Amino acid sequence: AMDLSKIVDIPTVDNISRKYNTKRLYKLGKEERINELKNAFVIKENIIDLKNKNVLVLDDIYTTGSTVNECCKIINEAKPNKIGVLTIAKD
């Protein structure tokens, strides 16, 4: 994200954190991943207001979409203008 941010001259903000440690996802099936990540993320306080902003979520590997879906769900609560997703690899 940091390197991409420099190339496109758009700031990077790490606005999401996990509420609790989750299991390593690579060993889990689709349903297990969904359950493991359900409500696992939160928007960090006092980082940046996402209301009416365009947000791009970066994820390293897209397998089942569980991580991206949960992140977008929590970001959507902040009322952004748009949410886009960019992944580097698909499993």
Side-chain angles (χ1 to χ4, degrees):
M2 300 289 271
D3 291 335
L4 179 60
S5 173
K6 290 175 189 173
I7 292 168
V8 297
D9 195 29
I10 296 173
T12 300
V13 179
D14 183 7
N15 252 44
I16 297 177
S17 65
R18 290 181 192 256
K19 289 186 205 175
Y20 51 86
N21 290 329
T22 56
K23 295 177 186 173
R24 293 182 138 305
L25 300 178
Y26 72 91
K27 294 181 178 182
L28 304 179
K30 183 174 183 173
E31 290 301 318
E32 292 170 307
R33 287 173 188 245
I34 291 169
N35 290 331
E36 184 64 24
L37 293 175
K38 193 170 202 119
N39 301 313
F41 299 101
V42 64
I43 298 238
K44 294 178 184 176
E45 296 290 323
N46 302 319
I47 300 293
I48 190 170
D49 183 8
L50 299 178
K51 188 171 184 176
N52 297 319
K53 301 272 196 295
N54 294 326
V55 176
L56 180 62
V57 176
L58 301 177
D59 193 8
D60 56 351
I61 300 173
Y62 184 98
T63 304
T64 64
S66 301
T67 303
V68 167
N69 288 340
E70 283 298 312
C71 288
C72 288
K73 183 173 84 174
I74 197 74
I75 291 169
N76 201 44
E77 292 175 10
K79 306 291 185 216
N81 182 45
K82 292 180 184 177
I83 303 173
V85 175
L86 175 66
T87 55
I88 306 306
K90 184 175 183 328
D91 184 13

